[in-house]
Amino acid sequence: MKKLDKWCDINWIIFICVTGVVTASLAAAFWESIPLGGKGAVFVAIIMPFHVLEEWKFPGGLHIFYNVLLGPKQKEKQQLDRYPMSRLTDMITNVGLQWIPLVYLFLCFFTDLSNAVALCMMLLSFIEVLVHTGAGIMTWAWLKKDGKKTIYHPGIATSWMMFFPAGVYVAAHLENVTGHDWLWTAVLFIIMMLICIPLTETPLKKWVAKQEKGDFAFADAKYYKKYPSFWKK
């Protein structure tokens, strides 16, 4: 248990950062031979470490918003530091969002799914922008009485500065998209989302909640620490 808890702290972040560096290096060497879908997957695999670092560390605090929004509303049932989002569940989600695109990258070389993978990566990129912008607007509306002046929310900067340009690049280079491509886009996207969120988070969040206090918990509220009324109710 302690080894898993340690892995879910910093080790997995190092792992995805190393994966991102290796992916970027190989992509730079073979860029011209990579199909468009593979390029989209490369973008996502490289962006994810930056995105995670913003959500978790600099400034961090995404879990507070997530757990206030989706966790129990009754004070006595709340575990804002680990339920429903814990370090374990979010680790699995984010590792999946880096490695599943890399699996899809290889599909582009051996199948006719390049356009489908490209569309899938484009959708993921734009959804990241929409979700984090929406979350930023929500937290601004909730916390403006406490002095919040912007729609900043952990994850919004990398969404706009990295995911958005990646999505635009893929959209600008798409050619000859067919209904077959869109059908496979739906299949690939649904598979990725199911693996990364409900099939892992739903059972694991209940398991984490039963563990000893502090296991797989985030250390503090990070960005939202300056808005105690948001998470100390």
Side-chain angles (χ1 to χ4, degrees):
M1 182 70 70
K2 290 190 179 299
K3 288 184 178 179
L4 180 58
D5 188 68
K6 184 178 180 180
W7 168 260
C8 295
D9 184 21
I10 189 66
N11 291 352
W12 77 275
I13 297 178
I14 295 172
F15 171 72
I16 66 168
C17 287
V18 170
T19 301
V21 170
V22 172
T23 301
S25 300
L26 291 173
F30 300 103
W31 188 252
E32 295 303 323
S33 62
I34 300 175
L36 180 62
K39 291 177 179 177
V42 165
F43 285 143
V44 171
I46 293 172
I47 293 169
M48 283 306 300
F50 294 97
H51 194 54
V52 166
L53 285 169
E54 184 187 4
E55 291 180 339
W56 274 55
K57 300 291 185 182
F58 310 107
L62 172 71
H63 66 284
I64 290 293
F65 167 79
Y66 190 96
N67 293 344
V68 167
L69 182 69
L70 299 177
K73 305 308 176 190
Q74 303 93 327
K75 175 70 174 177
E76 63 277 7
K77 293 184 178 180
Q78 288 182 337
Q79 297 186 60
L80 296 182
D81 59 352
R82 68 172 188 174
Y83 186 86
M85 179 188 285
S86 66
R87 287 187 286 110
L88 175 62
T89 59
D90 203 42
M91 177 274 294
I92 292 174
T93 295
N94 285 304
V95 170
L97 287 176
Q98 182 183 56
W99 276 85
I100 292 174
L102 290 176
V103 172
Y104 289 177
L105 182 156
F106 286 100
L107 288 179
C108 297
F109 287 102
F110 305 109
T111 69
D112 63 349
L113 295 179
S114 178
N115 270 357
V117 173
L119 288 166
C120 184
M121 297 302 106
M122 181 190 75
L123 286 176
L124 174 62
S125 296
F126 290 152
I127 287 171
E128 286 282 359
V129 173
L130 290 173
V131 167
H132 281 282
T133 303
I137 293 170
M138 288 174 68
T139 55
W140 171 76
W142 293 341
L143 298 172
K144 60 183 178 180
K145 65 182 184 300
D146 297 320
K148 197 172 195 313
K149 295 180 172 60
T150 71
I151 65 167
Y152 180 77
H153 167 74
I156 196 173
T158 44
S159 292
W160 276 102
M161 295 172 67
M162 303 183 83
F163 275 118
F164 184 73
V168 170
Y169 177 93
V170 172
H173 289 81
L174 277 166
E175 294 180 349
N176 304 317
V177 177
T178 65
H180 175 268
D181 295 328
W182 279 109
L183 176 62
W184 274 104
T185 298
V187 171
L188 294 173
F189 191 81
I190 289 169
I191 289 173
M192 181 169 63
M193 290 298 102
L194 284 176
I195 292 173
C196 291
I197 304 176
L199 291 181
T200 52
E201 181 178 289
T202 300
L204 285 175
K205 69 182 181 183
K206 296 176 182 178
W207 180 78
V208 168
K210 295 176 182 177
Q211 304 309 303
E212 292 183 13
K213 186 177 178 62
D215 286 350
F216 306 109
F218 290 90
D220 58 59
K222 294 288 188 177
Y223 174 76
Y224 289 107
K225 188 183 290 187
K226 56 188 173 181
Y227 303 110
S229 65
F230 185 46
W231 52 280
K232 283 187 177 181
K233 297 180 180 180

